[in-house]
Amino acid sequence: MHVTHLSLADFRSYARVEVPLDPGVTAFVGANGQGKTNLVEAVGYLASLGSHRVSSDAPLVRMGAERAVIRAAVTQGERSQLVELELNPGKANRARINRSSQVRPRDVLGIVRTVLFAPEDLALVKGDPGERRRFLDELVTARSPRMAGVRSDYERVLKQRNTLLKSAAMARRHGGRSMDLSTLDVWDQHLGRVGAELLAQRLDLIATMQPLTDKAYADVAPGGGPVTLEYRSSVGAEVSPARTRDELYAQLIAALAEVRKQEIERGVTLVGPHRDDLVLGLRGMPAKGYGSHGESWSYALALRLASYELLSSEGNEPVLVLDDVFAELDARRRERLAELVAPGEQVLVTAAVDDDVPGVLAGTRYAVAAGEVERL
């Protein structure tokens, strides 16, 4: 799968830009702040409905504009599709496929798939659990686009349940009458149902990723492993891919019942996938806090390389995006990573100067300056 044309309107720094793209390696070269990352960010948005740089859509719309449009022509085998997203901060985003009538934005998921390497990836190892949960959930959705709906349902149920708990906590603190919490049982069931599905998908993903990540780490940093991936669940009981969804549902319901008193006191849901973590192990120790800067970078790269191998093995090779990543690496890791990704069907690279792009990644070059994109 590869993108053959990218069109942006009022996206980030671009009033309008048209960029033809070829299979193989394409590098966007330009000084910082000139707009090269904005191009690959747009491709990534089509794949995940989110940015790797910001948490909301508002910064993606050019200053003074009401909306932004991302449009891409995509080829997979003999099939070509045109996918379009209109970003409307504060309102519902819109989507089209092949210029047809409007579809839901999440219906475009799966048309474009990407694996993105960026300086922000260091947070996968050194950052908070939320970074690793996001990594898992985005990869789960890339494997199975229907999971976008499950994730949305979980967030909706969690928000409703937290609202009820917060109201109960405030009433209790202010000496008011106890609230009727009979509906909490209903929200528990909803949370258990969608939470069990999300939990099952995460567990299956981690089991599949374990050998791929260990191999990728050995490729990036020979002799530096082994690495392990361990899912730490807020349920408290042992969870594993061997558990059925019904069993995971029962575990979640039991855990919610156990902490209900504390939840009512604190006004927040204390159990569920939103409280879980992926523990990254390196030579029997947690990578976070024990791994060096170089080892942390190698681990982050290994997670992305393993993601690429997984998605490729499932029949739709993703676009590889390397956003200013080579400048962050020492010479050995830079060359090793370049060798590993060079065979990809489509590789998009951003760099401040040509020298940051390893020679093995020869291909198309674009110069990016002041919002202008010129093919060299």
Side-chain angles (χ1 to χ4, degrees):
M1 185 272 295
H2 62 277
V3 177
T4 60
H5 193 94
L6 177 67
S7 174
L8 303 179
D10 292 324
F11 182 86
R12 287 285 195 180
S13 58
Y14 294 101
R16 185 170 296 276
V17 68
E18 305 287 339
V19 185
L21 293 170
D22 302 319
V25 178
T26 297
F28 300 100
V29 181
N32 292 336
Q34 300 304 301
K36 59 187 184 296
T37 291
N38 300 345
L39 300 170
V40 296
E41 181 182 27
V43 176
Y45 194 100
L46 291 173
S48 65
L49 302 184
S51 164
H52 69 288
R53 302 160 75 193
V54 293
S55 59
S56 68
D57 288 347
L60 306 180
V61 179
R62 190 172 64 92
M63 187 174 296
E66 293 183 359
R67 64 185 64 84
V69 175
I70 307 171
R71 185 182 298 112
V74 184
T75 295
Q76 182 180 0
E78 300 298 319
R79 185 184 185 191
S80 296
Q81 295 187 83
L82 184 67
V83 57
E84 177 182 310
L85 284 173
E86 180 181 285
L87 281 56
N88 298 288
K91 303 177 184 177
N93 291 343
R94 298 178 179 178
R96 294 181 186 276
I97 300 173
N98 295 329
R99 300 192 186 278
S100 65
S101 58
Q102 193 171 305
V103 298
R104 296 173 302 176
R106 73 187 190 207
D107 290 336
V108 309
L109 291 172
I111 297 176
V112 178
R113 295 211 291 183
T114 64
V115 170
L116 185 144
F117 300 74
E120 291 84 356
D121 284 346
L122 201 58
L124 292 176
V125 181
K126 293 189 171 185
D128 295 333
E131 300 286 349
R132 291 177 287 279
R133 288 195 297 266
R134 179 183 176 185
F135 166 74
L136 291 176
D137 291 344
E138 287 184 350
L139 189 49
V140 158
T141 304
R143 296 180 79 191
S144 178
R146 72 172 183 85
M147 287 302 297
V150 174
R151 291 169 60 190
S152 178
D153 288 346
Y154 185 84
E155 291 167 4
R156 176 182 56 82
V157 171
L158 180 63
K159 182 178 179 180
Q160 294 288 345
R161 192 175 187 276
N162 279 341
T163 298
L164 180 60
L165 288 169
K166 185 177 180 179
S167 297
M170 290 182 66
R172 180 173 181 147
R173 289 171 194 154
H174 291 87
R177 291 191 308 168
S178 297
M179 291 183 58
D180 180 8
L181 294 176
S182 59
T183 55
L184 195 56
D185 290 332
V186 177
W187 288 117
D188 284 1
Q189 293 169 21
H190 289 318
L191 191 79
R193 177 177 54 79
V194 291
E197 179 63 25
L198 182 56
L199 185 53
Q201 293 286 341
R202 286 182 182 177
L203 292 169
D204 177 71
L205 172 63
I206 291 169
T208 306
M209 285 280 286
Q210 170 63 68
L212 297 176
T213 308
D214 195 41
K215 179 181 181 302
Y217 191 91
D219 289 338
V220 173
V227 303
T228 56
L229 309 180
E230 177 191 350
Y231 192 80
R232 184 165 294 168
S233 174
S234 56
V235 168
E238 180 183 356
V239 295
S240 74
R243 300 273 183 172
T244 67
R245 282 161 176 74
D246 287 343
E247 289 172 331
L248 293 172
Y249 169 82
Q251 285 182 270
L252 279 167
I253 293 298
L256 287 168
E258 186 174 341
V259 299
R260 176 171 288 193
K261 182 178 179 181
Q262 296 98 297
E263 288 185 331
I264 293 173
E265 290 174 351
R266 296 174 59 178
V268 67
T269 301
L270 298 175
V271 169
H274 65 290
R275 306 278 293 196
D276 296 352
D277 194 7
L278 172 63
V279 180
L280 306 175
L282 177 62
R283 297 188 300 275
M285 300 292 288
K288 181 178 180 179
Y290 288 90
S292 68
H293 183 75
E295 288 172 331
S296 297
W297 255 117
S298 295
Y299 213 133
L301 295 174
L303 288 169
R304 294 302 188 188
L305 287 168
S307 302
Y308 171 72
E309 290 298 327
L310 173 61
L311 295 177
S312 297
S313 71
E314 295 179 343
N316 187 3
E317 183 176 341
V319 177
L320 282 165
V321 179
L322 294 91
D323 180 24
D324 264 341
V325 72
F326 289 115
E328 300 287 334
L329 303 176
D330 58 41
R332 180 176 65 86
R333 288 183 175 87
R334 179 185 302 183
E335 294 300 326
R336 194 72 189 110
L337 176 60
E339 291 170 0
L340 291 169
V341 304
E345 181 177 350
Q346 186 169 51
V347 184
L348 306 180
V349 181
T350 71
V353 294
D354 272 321
D355 289 345
D356 283 346
V357 184
V360 70
L361 295 179
T364 305
R365 289 288 191 276
Y366 281 97
V368 182
E372 298 293 327
V373 183
E374 180 182 0
R375 189 164 184 160
L376 301 176

